[in-house]
Amino acid sequence: MTVQVLIDRLVFRRLYPLAIEICRYLKIPEFQGVSRVLKHWACFKVQQKEEPDDVIACAINQKLGDTASISYSEIAARAYECGRTELAIKLLEFEPRSGEQVPLLLKMKRSQLALSKAIESGDTDLVYTVVTYLKNEMNRGDFFMTLRNQPVALSLYRQFCKHQEQNTLKDLFNQDDDHQELGNFYVRASYGEGSVEARMAALQNAVDEFNKAKNEFSAKATEEQMKLLRWQRRFQEEFDKPYLDCSLHETVHSLLLDSKHKQAEQLYKDFRIPDKRFWWLKISALAEKEDWEELEKFSKSKKSPIGYLPFVEICVKHHNKYEAKKYVTKVTLEQKVKAHLAVGDLEQAVEAAIERRSESELNLVLSRCTPTTDRALLDKINSARAGALKK
C-alpha cells in the first residue's frame, strides 16, 4: 500500500485528524496532503443536515482559513448539489476570487448577487458575462430595471450597445425618459442614413428630444445642421458637385473656390457667419485659386474687419509678393514692420521701426538680416537701436 492509498482510505473512513497528522509527519506537500484531506472533510461537513448553515460555514472557515490550495467554490458547489443553496452562498463569501464566485451564483439562479460580485471585482469581462446571462434569462422590462439599480453595469452595457446594438440603446434611453441621450442617439444615427430625407427625419427626432430635455442650444444647433443640409442638397443638385457632409466653413470655402460668390454670400447672411471669419475664408479661397483681381476688388469693397496684413501674408503664402506689395500701404502703422518683412523689403521695415521708435521691431528686422545684407543698412539699424536704448 502506498502512502497516497493509505491517506485515501483514512479519508474515506472519515478519520480526518489521523490522516492530517500522518501527512504532516511524512511531510507530504500541502496540496497533496493536508489541503486534500481538509477539502474532503469540508465536502463531508456540508452534507450534515442536522447542523445549521451558519454553524457549518463558520466551522469550515475556521478549519480551512485562507489556505491557497483550497477552493471554497468547489465546496460551495458540493453544498449546492446536496440541496443546501444558502450554505453554498455563505461559503462563497469566503472565496477570494470573483471569477470563481460568479459562475456558481449564476448556476444557482442568484443573478442579482452574481452581478454585485462581478461589479465589486472590477473585472469588466466578468460584468459583461453576467449582463449577457441576465439578458438571455430575463424579460426586457425586468432586465432594464435590474440594470437601472446597478449604474456600473448599466454604463458598461450602454458602451456595448453603442457598438453592437443601437436599437437596444434607444430602448434603454426610452425606458429612462432620457431625452438628452435620445437626442444624441438620433444625431449619431442620422450620419448612418443613406438618403438626405432619412437623415433629416432623424435630426428632426433629435430636435424634438432636445426640446423635451429643455436643451435649447442642442436643439438650435441641430436645426442649423438641418438648414445646412437643405442648402447642400440644393447646391449639389445645381452644380453637380458633392457638398454633403461638409462643415459650414468647408461649404463656403468650396463655393468661393468655384466662384459661386452669390451663394457663399447667402450662407454668410443666413448662418450669420462673423465678418472676420467670412473675410478670412474669402481671401484664403481667392488666393488659393490665384484670383488676384477678385482679391483686390474684394479688399476695396469696404473696410476690412481683419485689417490688411492678412492680405499681405496670404499673397506671400501663395508665392506672389507682387500682389502682396499692393496691400502694404494699407496696413496700420503697428503692423507696417511685419508687412514689409513679409514682402522682403528690409529698408522700408527699418524706416517703419525707426518711425515707431520700437527697439523690439528693430531687433526683429536685425534678426532677418543675412551676411549679404547691405552694411549701411546694418549700421542704420544699430544706430537706431542705440538711440532707442538711451531713451
Side-chain angles (χ1 to χ4, degrees):
M1 185 187 301
T2 63
V3 173
Q4 196 60 57
V5 173
L6 171 63
I7 300 301
D8 287 344
R9 291 191 177 183
L10 290 172
V11 166
F12 285 123
R13 285 167 174 71
R14 298 172 191 167
L15 299 172
Y16 303 112
L18 181 57
I20 289 171
E21 288 303 318
I22 291 174
C23 289
R24 287 173 178 163
Y25 178 76
L26 296 177
K27 297 181 181 178
I28 297 172
E30 187 171 306
F31 72 94
Q32 292 179 336
V34 175
S35 294
R36 191 160 168 271
V37 174
L38 288 173
K39 180 183 171 184
H40 275 283
W41 168 80
C43 289
F44 168 70
K45 192 74 174 173
V46 298
Q47 300 176 52
Q48 295 179 345
K49 297 186 178 181
E50 63 275 7
E51 292 189 57
D53 295 338
D54 289 340
V55 173
I56 294 176
C58 186
I60 290 174
N61 180 241
Q62 284 179 349
K63 189 74 74 174
L64 271 56
D66 298 324
T67 307
S69 54
I70 296 179
S71 170
Y72 279 96
S73 61
E74 291 181 22
I75 302 168
R78 180 60 182 157
Y80 178 63
E81 290 171 7
C82 295
R84 305 193 69 170
T85 304
E86 293 304 318
L87 175 57
I89 293 171
K90 291 180 186 299
L91 289 169
L92 281 177
E93 291 296 325
F94 303 122
E95 174 59 63
R97 295 165 296 180
S98 300
E100 298 291 327
Q101 290 178 315
V102 169
L104 184 56
L105 287 170
L106 291 177
K107 185 178 179 181
M108 295 190 294
K109 308 296 183 185
R110 298 301 176 100
S111 50
Q112 299 277 8
L113 185 55
L115 183 57
S116 297
K117 292 293 182 184
I119 292 169
E120 286 174 15
S121 74
D123 185 340
T124 53
D125 289 338
L126 201 57
V127 177
Y128 278 128
T129 298
V130 179
V131 169
T132 303
Y133 174 87
L134 293 175
K135 181 185 172 188
N136 294 331
E137 291 294 314
M138 293 180 164
N139 63 55
R140 204 174 185 81
D142 290 342
F143 174 61
F144 287 164
M145 191 61 66
T146 300
L147 291 184
R148 285 182 69 181
N149 296 327
Q150 296 284 1
V152 174
L154 178 59
S155 176
L156 287 171
Y157 186 61
R158 282 181 175 177
Q159 289 297 323
F160 168 78
C161 290
K162 277 183 182 179
H163 301 288
Q164 303 291 336
E165 298 180 7
Q166 289 286 318
N167 287 330
T168 303
L169 187 63
K170 184 175 74 170
D171 293 340
L172 275 170
F173 296 144
N174 271 318
Q175 180 90 1
D176 295 340
D177 289 329
D178 193 338
H179 299 294
Q180 177 62 43
E181 286 297 337
L182 272 170
N184 295 337
F185 170 83
Y186 283 121
V187 169
R188 286 192 296 270
S190 71
Y191 288 96
E193 298 293 349
S195 66
V196 176
E197 290 75 15
R199 185 178 296 186
M200 295 285 279
L203 289 174
Q204 184 57 56
N205 287 335
V207 171
D208 296 339
E209 295 300 334
F210 287 139
N211 284 327
K212 290 176 184 176
K214 298 181 179 179
N215 187 335
E216 294 180 11
F217 173 80
S218 294
K220 181 66 176 174
T222 308
E223 287 173 346
E224 292 282 291
Q225 178 63 20
M226 292 172 69
K227 184 165 66 172
L228 178 61
L229 272 174
R230 293 188 192 100
W231 276 111
Q232 289 174 334
R233 177 172 58 181
R234 178 177 164 184
F235 294 148
Q236 197 157 297
E237 291 170 353
E238 285 183 19
F239 309 131
D240 193 27
K241 181 179 176 180
Y243 285 94
L244 291 172
D245 294 323
C246 292
S247 68
L248 174 60
H249 290 176
E250 289 169 341
T251 305
V252 172
H253 185 76
S254 184
L255 288 168
L256 291 168
L257 283 176
D258 296 335
S259 299
K260 310 297 182 185
H261 299 291
K262 182 181 177 182
Q263 288 80 1
E265 290 278 347
Q266 283 179 315
L267 293 185
Y268 159 59
K269 293 173 183 176
D270 204 17
F271 287 91
R272 298 178 183 178
I273 299 174
D275 289 347
K276 289 185 177 181
R277 197 172 301 167
F278 182 71
W279 273 65
W280 270 109
L281 284 168
K282 188 156 186 176
I283 68 171
S284 298
L286 293 174
E288 187 177 329
K289 65 183 291 193
E290 298 184 350
D291 191 346
W292 307 116
E293 185 179 341
E294 185 64 32
L295 182 66
E296 186 175 1
K297 181 180 174 183
F298 180 57
S299 73
K300 296 174 180 176
S301 61
K302 65 177 183 178
K303 185 178 179 181
S304 169
I306 59 174
Y308 293 92
L309 182 60
F311 283 81
V312 176
E313 292 174 335
I314 204 74
C315 290
V316 172
K317 180 181 177 182
H318 291 276
H319 315 293
N320 195 332
K321 289 187 178 180
Y322 174 78
E323 288 293 331
K325 289 177 181 177
K326 292 180 181 180
Y327 306 103
V328 173
T329 56
K330 294 184 176 184
V331 173
T332 60
L333 189 60
E334 292 80 7
Q335 296 180 324
K336 271 281 197 276
V337 173
K338 287 183 179 179
H340 285 302
L341 288 174
V343 297
D345 192 341
L346 288 175
E347 290 186 13
Q348 289 300 318
V350 171
E351 292 297 332
I354 291 173
E355 184 181 351
R356 280 175 46 75
R357 299 175 181 178
S358 170
E359 183 191 352
S360 62
E361 289 181 344
L362 284 166
N363 288 333
L364 177 61
V365 177
L366 188 61
S367 70
R368 299 292 180 87
C369 293
T370 65
T372 59
T373 303
D374 183 57
R375 186 68 198 174
L377 184 62
L378 287 170
D379 291 341
K380 189 174 183 179
I381 295 171
N382 287 322
S383 175
R385 285 178 69 223
L389 284 170
K390 284 179 183 178
K391 294 180 180 181

